[in-house]
Amino acid sequence: MKKLNSINWVAFKDDKVYLEDVPITIGINIIDWLKQFSSLKYSIEQADYNERRKYITFSEYLNIVISSFDDVVTDISVYPYQFQSSPYYKGDIIIFDKKLEVPFLSNDIEKYFPDIKVKRPPSKVIDRFLPREALEYVVNDRVKLEISMGRSAELVGSISLKYV
């Protein structure tokens, strides 16, 4: 398998996230994965509240964040374009074989996640969600996708693959 030297597209498919053609899954050892599959510069930051929790970012792609606990991947997050916000991922984002239209409007969530449970229907009058509110889309008994609204509730701020 090739090594990452750029990330022009990210795809969420089943229980994996593909950075270009290189898959990454929840539960793998991130240090081994980085050595084997990445030639990109990256940084590892330790969480202030727990020295076992770390955040991995690629130097040129700060908007893709891999979280780990004891070097085991716990979630992978991508931050799509939001108005007046940075950093955001500038490449293509593909969700279950559909290319994401950016900005990712919260009223369009069902277009990409048809079976998702949402309390309120789309509206052109009032905000459907609260800022930073999150929805879960269960992929299987092990992982879920979490869709979090941005500071402005009409936009999705992040898409993350996480443990259930």
Side-chain angles (χ1 to χ4, degrees), residues 20-147:
E20 299 256 339
D21 289 320
V22 180
I24 183 169
T25 59
I26 302 295
I28 64 168
N29 182 298
I30 188 59
I31 304 303
D32 293 345
W33 185 89
L34 288 165
K35 288 178 186 173
Q36 185 175 1
F37 297 112
S38 180
S39 59
L40 293 171
K41 291 182 183 179
Y42 62 88
S43 64
I44 300 176
E45 293 182 35
Q46 197 170 332
D48 294 335
Y49 59 90
N50 187 331
E51 64 186 40
R52 296 167 66 190
R53 169 136 333 261
K54 296 184 178 115
Y55 302 101
I56 297 88
T57 54
F58 299 101
S59 299
E60 295 179 37
Y61 307 95
L62 298 175
N63 30 54
I64 299 172
V65 179
I66 302 168
S67 301
S68 70
F69 189 81
D70 287 337
D71 295 333
V72 174
V73 174
T74 58
D75 59 87
I76 305 149
S77 300
V78 177
Y79 298 86
Y81 172 77
Q82 293 187 64
F83 295 118
Q84 303 170 341
S85 177
S86 64
Y88 62 89
Y89 180 65
K90 293 175 178 72
D92 291 334
I93 300 172
I94 300 155
I95 300 174
F96 305 128
D97 297 325
K98 288 184 184 176
K99 183 179 172 188
L100 186 73
E101 296 172 26
V102 290
F104 186 4
L105 303 175
S106 59
N107 281 343
D108 291 341
I109 287 175
E110 287 90 350
K111 187 188 305 185
Y112 301 96
F113 305 97
D115 301 329
I116 198 164
K117 306 264 189 272
V118 179
K119 295 176 191 168
R120 295 171 296 277
S123 173
K124 293 182 181 184
V125 180
I126 60 169
D127 283 341
R128 186 176 185 194
F129 302 101
L130 298 172
R132 307 283 187 214
E133 184 176 349
L135 298 174
E136 294 181 355
Y137 182 83
V138 177
V139 175
N140 60 36
D141 60 345
R142 214 171 57 88
V143 298
K144 66 183 176 184
L145 280 167
E146 183 178 88
I147 302 99

